[in-house]
Amino acid sequence: MNICNADSAHMPQIKSSEKCNVSHTDLKAASVKFLRAALTLKQLDSASQMGLKGKVIPLMFKLLAHPNEKVVTAALDGLSEMVKKQGIPKELLQQSLRPILLHLQRHNHLTYSLLKGIAKLLGLLSHHFN
């Protein structure tokens, strides 16, 4: 989760070599895919593991505004899987949407990637709204 949350400026430098040619965004996208796979495990369905879901789902909402399309696609796939298979509790949905909607209040925080992510999110969650 730390890799998904970190900005590329705060991530350790990855040395490019012939054996390892991985960018920060590729690493972040792979981390999101890993978290998505982890959320589908039956062991995480217990009430004691709800805290982990409560951290991962808002993180995926946050990553919908990421400038890299690979990361956005991975986060959107994870959220769509959660919505279709298990659903997202109303409280967690509200908690996850609040930071994104706060960005809409301030015009200087609006970016193309944020608006694009919100458009994808509205398409995904259209059945939650009347």
Side-chain angles (χ1 to χ4, degrees), residues 19-73:
K19 293 181 182 178
C20 180
N21 190 11
V22 178
S23 68
H24 290 142
T25 54
D26 289 339
L27 183 60
K28 191 173 282 202
S31 299
V32 172
K33 290 176 185 177
F34 175 77
L35 289 173
R36 174 183 151 203
L39 285 178
T40 61
L41 295 174
K42 298 283 186 213
Q43 292 88 345
L44 293 180
D45 286 342
S46 67
S48 63
Q49 296 297 329
M50 204 53 193
L52 180 62
K53 285 185 180 183
K55 291 178 183 178
V56 172
I57 291 174
L59 177 64
M60 288 190 178
F61 274 93
K62 177 184 167 187
L63 289 175
L64 288 176
H66 195 274
N68 187 286
E69 192 64 31
K70 287 181 184 179
V71 176
V72 172
T73 302

Side-chain angles (χ1 to χ4, degrees), residues 12-126:
Q13 293 297 320
I14 299 173
K15 294 183 180 180
S16 180
S17 70
E18 293 175 9
K19 293 181 182 178
C20 180
N21 190 11
V22 178
S23 68
H24 290 142
T25 54
D26 289 339
L27 183 60
K28 191 173 282 202
S31 299
V32 172
K33 290 176 185 177
F34 175 77
L35 289 173
R36 174 183 151 203
L39 285 178
T40 61
L41 295 174
K42 298 283 186 213
Q43 292 88 345
L44 293 180
D45 286 342
S46 67
S48 63
Q49 296 297 329
M50 204 53 193
L52 180 62
K53 285 185 180 183
K55 291 178 183 178
V56 172
I57 291 174
L59 177 64
M60 288 190 178
F61 274 93
K62 177 184 167 187
L63 289 175
L64 288 176
H66 195 274
N68 187 286
E69 192 64 31
K70 287 181 184 179
V71 176
V72 172
T73 302
L76 188 65
D77 290 345
L79 285 173
S80 65
E81 190 169 322
M82 285 298 298
V83 167
K84 289 176 185 174
K85 288 188 177 180
Q86 301 168 349
I88 298 175
K90 183 179 178 181
E91 300 83 28
L92 185 56
L93 181 63
Q94 290 174 345
Q95 173 192 354
S96 301
L97 283 173
R98 190 169 289 121
I100 294 172
L101 295 176
L102 287 176
H103 281 294
L104 291 176
Q105 289 181 341
R106 298 182 212 110
H107 71 282
N108 56 343
H109 286 146
L110 291 178
T111 62
Y112 178 71
S113 58
L114 174 66
L115 294 174
K116 196 173 173 182
I118 290 173
K120 290 181 179 186
L121 183 62
L122 287 175
L124 175 65
L125 299 175
S126 61

